[in-house]
């Protein structure tokens, strides 16, 4: 009896510790909002912008805070989708999430966790290109606010080396045919190690070959992935990464990341002439590769080499703000983020935006060029699900390693894409 | 009549069992909460329809059927490939390398003057996280001879991580560099326990060094070796961080392991049901490999 009593006394504290530790109650309310602030419920935002980009976004938010008195808390994370998914599943999402280039939008909208923007539909229609609205719409309702925007299909080059950049695909073929002889350099720089640049160059290749309408049709499932137009676009990607063209050979290019690839064109030991990236690549080069780069003199870009059908077509990559909760404060911030006033603050810090009513006359150099492309170009604005994108990226990697397998790979991928398009 | 000394009453079996259960309860609760429930949830998730992490719908073994024909997981086109094959390759190559190198180093350093320094030098990489280790070896393997240690030594500009033929051995070498320290330390400690009398007796019986190692030293350290084998086996089959940092599974999935495929499906492709199927199969592979290793160790001992 005494021993049993001792056992109970010994066990009880341990049981109490077990019960108290590892609590499962979320520390924040299910809406993800912090305590109410002066102007209404506080708002939390999660996004991809960190460091100087986060500073810029805080300036944008300051405009809202001053205007409304609502507390807004922003957290920048390296991987928004990886950070967001567990929080959504746990029932404690942030109020607003910024999805970089709309990454994950289709998947989250399929899950039904995004709130529609019906309360600001008319403002969206008047201030944004319809292609951008359609990109983030489902069943006629918009679900995301396009914020910062960049052009995805560009060819970066050094004007002090390449005096006349290639405009058409034929020009690029001619340039690459004489690169070694004329410049003693390889023609192209690859960045396959980071994987997502492969999807970027596929987008660039397809839209520049076929135009924005066919691009949108492809990514919305109206054109199958085993279509001849896709095969041609993939062939051009493999040419860009071929041993004859790409610095370091195919395996070197597939083992190089984004910054390594750009360094091959703009670094001190540059051994390539051109690289594919988005228009944001200019800022990346200036910040991370060559701080002495001068726009227009040692760094510039043109549209990715095109055929006549693709001239002026623009792959627009926008960072999309989505609502995961819905209250007056969140709606107020959403309207502000979509407005010319809010997006104008991005422009003041040198970023290009999606709202077509924003005055971009203050932008110069590459940013002004990007803004002009976004304003005047035919926009290719379509998304595919992350799953399909990952599979397509793997396909492109295999095609680059063995271009003879392009058609077989696309034939196997086409039904998977058809089943998966739309989320 | 003198009073007899009191005889303790025999405790009933039920009381003993009850006390035992009560003492075990906290540990059992923890095992239930942090092992049984999550495993059960994962298996159930692998049979759900989704979307998200919801357990909505029931699709039975559909995700496993998809996995069985998914070339990213296992393919025989152009030779065996896929995440399963890569993980098995890690088990067959990286694991023995880690233990063999540890054994050789421990034996060579045993009873030497600078034994502790040698052990310390090999143990040092173990304090690095997988992420840091991956970043260090990214520089080692950099294609540029100006940056990459390996290419500078070999006077070449080969892309070790961009070539499907060399990416897996390159990754394994990085992991082995980080993991060998544990082997060295455990085997070195085990060698200290080998009976000197046995070795002396063997020598007197005319045994040479190889015979002493094979028939005296090795059987004496078999238990720690077996422990090392099973723990490192689990580590190598769930390797993730080094691969994620250095290649992300590329080029074109050539270095993708099961753990990486699970991560990609769950957090990148946003298909947690499919990811749950991958991790369930991965766990089954680990358990089977562990049981085989343990049984082999027992057979050798007996």
């Amino acid at each position: 009896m005494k021993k049993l009593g001792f056992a109970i006394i010994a066990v009880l504290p341990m049981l109490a510790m077990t019960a108290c530790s590892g609590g499962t109650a979320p520390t924040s309310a299910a809406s993800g909002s912090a305590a109410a602030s002066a102007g209404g419920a506080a708002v939390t935002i999660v996004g991809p912008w960190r460091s100087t980009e986060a500073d810029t976004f805080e300036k944008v938010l300051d405009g809202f805070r001053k205007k409304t008195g609502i507390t807004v808390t922003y957290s920048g994370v390296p991987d928004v989708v990886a950070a967001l998914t567990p929080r959504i599943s746990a029932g404690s999402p942030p109020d607003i999430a910024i999805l970089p280039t709309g990454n994950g939008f289709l998947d989250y909208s399929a899950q039904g966790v995004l709130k529609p923007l019906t309360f600001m539909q008319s403002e969206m229609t008047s201030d944004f290109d319809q292609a951008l609205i359609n990109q983030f719409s489902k069943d006629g309702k918009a679900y995301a606010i396009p914020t910062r925007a960049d052009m995805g299909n560009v060819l970066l080059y050094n004007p002090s080396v390449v005096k006349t950049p290639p405009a058409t695909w034929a020009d690029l073929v001619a340039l690459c045919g004489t690169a070694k002889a004329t410049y003693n350099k390889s023609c192209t720089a690859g960045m396959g190690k980071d994987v997502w640049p492969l999807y970027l160059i596929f987008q660039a290749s397809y839209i520049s070959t076929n135009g924005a309408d066919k691009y949108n049709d492809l990514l919305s499932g109206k054109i199958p992935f085993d279509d001849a137009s896709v095969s041609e676009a993939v062939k051009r990607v493999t040419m860009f990464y071929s041993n004859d063209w790409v610095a370091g050979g195919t395996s070197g290019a597939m083992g190089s990341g984004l910054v390594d690839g750009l360094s091959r064109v703009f670094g001190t030991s540059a051994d390539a002439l051109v690289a594919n990236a988005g228009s944001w690549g200019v800022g990346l080069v200036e910040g991370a590769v060559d701080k002495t780069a001068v726009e227009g003199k040692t760094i510039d870009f043109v549209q990715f080499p095109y055929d006549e059908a693709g001239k002026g077509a623009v792959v627009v990559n926008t960072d999309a703000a989505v609502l995961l909760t819905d209250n007056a404060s969140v709606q107020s911030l959403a309207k502000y983020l979509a407005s010319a006033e809010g997006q104008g603050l991005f422009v003041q810090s040198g970023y290009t935006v999606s709202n077509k009513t924003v005055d971009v006359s203050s932008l110069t150099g590459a940013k002004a060029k990007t803004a002009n492309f976004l304003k005047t170009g035919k926009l290719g604005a379509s998304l595919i699900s992350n799953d399909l994108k990952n599979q397509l990226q793997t396909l492109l990697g295999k095609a680059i390693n063995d271009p003879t397998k392009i058609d077989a790979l696309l034939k196997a991928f086409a039904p998977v894409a058809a089943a998966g398009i739309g989320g | 009549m003198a009073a007899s000394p009191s005889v303790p009453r025999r405790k009933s079996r039920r009381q003993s069992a009850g006390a035992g259960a009560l003492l075990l309860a906290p540990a059992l609760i923890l095992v239930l909460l942090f092992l049984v429930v999550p495993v059960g949830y994962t298996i159930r998730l692998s049979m759900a329809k989704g979307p998200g992490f919801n357990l909505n719908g029931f699709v039975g073994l559909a995700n496993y059927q998809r996995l069985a024909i998914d070339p990213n997981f296992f393919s025989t086109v152009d030779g065996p490939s896929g995440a399963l094959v890569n993980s098995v390759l890690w088990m067959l190559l990286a694991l023995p390398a880690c233990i063999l190198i540890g054994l050789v180093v421990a034996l060579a350093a045993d009873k030497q003057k600078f034994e502790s320094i040698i052990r310390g030098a090999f143990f040092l990489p173990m304090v690095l996280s997988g992420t840091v280790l991956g970043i260090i070896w990214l520089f080692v393997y950099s294609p540029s001879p100006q940056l990459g240690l390996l290419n500078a030594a070999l006077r070449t500009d080969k892309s070790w991580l961009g070539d499907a033929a060399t990416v897996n051995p390159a990754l394994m070498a990085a992991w082995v560099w980080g993991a060998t320290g544990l082997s060295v330390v455990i085997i070195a400690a085990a060698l200290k326990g080998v009976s000197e009398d046995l070795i002396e007796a063997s020598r007197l019986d005319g045994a040479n060094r190889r015979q002493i190692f094979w028939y005296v030293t090795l059987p004496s350290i078999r238990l720690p070796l077996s422990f090392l084998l099973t723990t490192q086996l689990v580590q190598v089959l769930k390797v993730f961080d080094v691969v994620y940092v250095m290649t992300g599974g590329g080029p074109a999935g050539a270095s993708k392991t099961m753990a990486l495929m699970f991560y990609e499906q769950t957090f990148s492709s946003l298909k947690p049901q499919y990811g749950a199927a991958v991790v369930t199969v991965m766990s089954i592979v680990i358990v089977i490999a562990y049981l085989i290793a343990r049984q082999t160790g027992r057979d050798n001992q007996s």
Side-chain angles (χ1 to χ4, degrees):
Chain A
M1 195 61 188
K2 272 188 188 173
K3 283 185 182 173
L4 181 61
F6 278 128
I8 291 170
I9 290 166
V11 157
L12 270 177
M14 285 189 277
L15 280 174
M17 278 166 58
T18 306
C20 292
S21 67
T24 54
T27 53
S28 58
S31 71
S33 298
S37 56
V43 180
T44 57
I45 309 178
V46 164
W49 305 318
R50 295 177 292 156
S51 187
T52 51
E53 291 181 308
D55 293 339
T56 300
F57 190 48
E58 287 292 346
K59 284 184 194 155
V60 174
L61 295 175
D62 279 341
F64 177 76
R65 292 177 183 117
K66 282 188 192 119
K67 203 169 149 182
T68 61
I70 294 174
T71 301
V72 182
T73 310
Y74 170 71
S75 306
V77 295
D79 188 335
V80 172
V81 168
L84 207 53
T85 302
R87 285 187 64 173
I88 290 173
S89 299
S92 62
D95 296 305
I96 293 177
I98 312 284
L99 305 178
T101 66
N103 189 24
F105 171 80
L106 288 178
D107 303 275
Y108 291 132
S109 74
Q111 289 175 32
V113 299
L114 305 180
K115 305 298 178 193
L117 304 177
T118 43
F119 58 92
M120 51 186 278
Q121 195 86 24
S122 56
E123 292 102 316
M124 300 265 310
T125 308
S126 62
D127 292 353
F128 294 90
D129 192 291
Q130 192 58 43
L132 284 180
I133 298 174
N134 292 343
Q135 184 181 24
F136 297 117
S137 292
K138 191 180 165 190
D139 301 329
K141 293 182 197 165
Y143 281 85
I145 302 154
T147 59
R148 280 173 40 181
D150 277 295
M151 182 176 172
N153 54 321
V154 310
L155 196 72
L156 296 168
Y157 70 101
N158 184 338
S160 67
V161 175
V162 180
K163 307 289 183 201
T164 309
T168 66
W169 182 256
D171 291 341
L172 182 64
V173 172
L175 176 71
C176 291
T178 59
K180 287 258 163 50
T182 309
Y183 301 95
N184 196 28
K185 291 181 197 288
S186 297
C187 186
T188 58
M191 32 193 95
K193 186 169 91 69
D194 290 344
V195 187
W196 60 266
L198 296 181
Y199 181 63
L200 195 73
I201 193 172
F202 170 75
Q203 288 176 294
S205 176
Y206 191 87
I207 202 174
S208 297
T209 315
N210 300 283
D213 290 336
K214 277 191 89 169
Y215 173 87
N216 290 331
D217 284 344
L218 173 71
L219 297 188
S220 58
K222 293 183 184 131
I223 295 176
F225 265 84
D226 55 0
D227 187 77
S229 61
V230 181
S231 178
E232 177 59 29
V234 174
K235 280 191 181 106
R236 292 187 179 189
V237 171
T238 63
M239 284 174 73
F240 199 94
Y241 273 79
S242 64
N243 277 322
D244 291 338
W245 282 21
V246 80
T250 299
S251 64
M254 292 300 285
S256 297
L258 174 65
V259 175
D260 289 337
L262 292 175
S263 298
R264 295 201 101 127
V265 179
F266 302 101
T268 49
S269 306
D271 59 352
L273 299 176
V274 297
N276 162 250
S279 54
W280 42 260
V282 174
L284 185 60
V285 168
E286 289 168 345
V289 177
D290 180 7
K291 290 186 176 17
T292 65
V294 177
E295 287 179 23
K297 289 203 162 64
T298 55
I299 181 165
D300 205 346
F301 73 84
V302 291
Q303 181 189 347
F304 191 82
Y306 50 84
D307 291 346
E308 195 53 37
K311 189 175 178 181
V314 172
V315 171
V316 58
N317 291 325
T318 55
D319 296 337
V322 294
L323 274 57
L324 295 154
T325 64
D326 201 358
N327 59 47
S329 295
V330 172
Q331 288 186 7
S332 178
L333 180 55
K335 284 183 179 173
Y336 175 81
L337 287 176
S339 67
E341 181 190 353
Q343 297 209 358
L345 289 171
F346 277 117
V347 173
Q348 283 180 24
S349 296
Y351 292 97
T352 43
V353 295
S354 307
N355 188 318
K356 60 187 181 188
T357 67
V358 173
D359 178 13
V360 295
S361 57
S362 62
L363 295 174
T364 57
K367 295 296 181 187
K369 197 187 239 186
T370 304
N372 187 49
F373 267 113
L374 291 172
K375 207 159 225 165
T376 61
K378 195 86 197 317
L379 299 187
S382 292
L383 300 172
I384 55 173
S385 69
N386 282 11
D387 186 32
L388 276 183
K389 198 187 299 180
N390 287 340
Q391 293 191 58
L392 183 55
Q393 282 162 178
T394 303
L395 182 155
L396 290 165
K398 288 180 181 171
I400 286 168
N401 278 328
D402 189 353
T404 61
K405 294 207 162 101
I406 289 174
D407 290 331
L409 288 166
L410 286 173
K411 196 171 172 199
F413 180 66
V416 174
I421 287 222
Chain B
M1 193 159 152
S4 61
S6 62
V7 174
R9 278 168 39 191
R10 195 172 281 185
K11 198 162 66 171
S12 72
R13 284 183 70 180
R14 189 176 285 179
Q15 276 182 319
S16 298
L22 211 54
L23 286 168
L24 275 175
L28 282 177
I29 289 169
L30 287 173
V31 167
L32 197 72
L33 273 177
F34 296 111
L35 183 62
V36 176
V37 168
V39 167
Y41 172 84
T42 302
I43 294 172
R44 176 63 182 89
L45 183 67
S46 71
M47 298 179 185
K49 197 176 173 187
F53 281 85
N54 300 316
L55 298 177
N56 299 334
F58 182 74
V59 296
L61 298 176
N63 283 315
Y64 295 96
Q65 287 167 342
R66 181 185 158 195
L67 195 60
I69 58 171
D70 187 346
N72 292 312
F73 186 71
F74 180 70
S75 170
T76 52
V77 174
D78 296 330
S81 64
L84 176 65
V85 172
N86 287 337
S87 292
V88 170
L89 268 176
W90 274 80
M91 182 179 69
L92 295 176
L93 297 176
L95 177 62
C98 171
I99 294 178
L100 278 170
I101 293 172
L103 183 62
V104 166
V105 171
L107 281 170
D110 189 36
K111 298 187 186 70
Q112 299 302 317
K113 191 176 175 186
F114 299 109
E115 181 184 357
S116 57
I117 294 173
I118 294 168
R119 275 211 318 261
F122 273 85
F123 191 76
L124 210 54
M126 277 217 67
V127 307
L128 300 172
S129 68
T131 307
V132 171
L133 193 141
I135 291 171
I136 289 172
W137 279 86
L138 271 176
F139 283 105
V140 171
Y141 289 133
S142 176
S144 163
Q146 280 93 25
L147 201 61
L149 192 63
L150 188 59
N151 282 348
L154 298 176
R155 294 181 194 276
T156 180
D157 59 356
K158 177 153 179 62
S159 176
W160 301 95
L161 300 177
D163 185 345
T166 55
V167 64
N168 281 314
L171 290 172
M172 289 178 200
W175 182 84
V176 167
W177 181 78
T180 301
L182 184 67
S183 303
V184 170
V185 164
I186 287 180
I187 295 172
L191 287 173
K192 296 282 178 274
V194 177
S195 168
E196 284 297 328
D197 295 337
L198 262 179
I199 293 175
E200 192 56 39
S202 308
R203 229 177 252 136
L204 288 171
D205 283 342
N208 58 31
R209 284 179 69 176
R210 188 188 65 80
Q211 287 168 322
I212 291 173
F213 168 76
W214 197 254
Y215 295 109
V216 178
T217 309
L218 206 53
S220 301
I221 63 170
R222 205 176 288 277
L223 205 55
L225 268 184
S226 177
F227 163 77
L228 198 57
L229 180 71
T230 48
T231 49
Q232 295 293 61
L233 176 69
V234 173
Q235 292 304 315
V236 91
L237 279 173
K238 58 177 192 158
V239 70
F240 170 80
D241 40 14
V242 168
V243 180
Y244 179 79
V245 167
M246 294 180 73
T247 63
S255 63
K256 194 180 293 185
T257 58
M258 288 193 288
L260 195 68
M261 186 172 175
F262 151 70
Y263 175 85
E264 186 186 85
Q265 289 300 322
T266 305
F267 295 108
S268 178
S269 296
L270 295 176
K271 302 278 183 227
Q273 292 75 25
Y274 194 51
V278 173
V279 83
T280 302
V281 170
M282 184 179 102
S283 303
I284 291 170
V285 168
I286 290 174
V287 167
I288 291 172
Y290 168 78
L291 289 173
I292 292 173
R294 200 180 69 159
Q295 191 57 39
T296 308
R298 279 184 180 165
D299 289 345
N300 285 338
Q301 256 188 307
S302 62

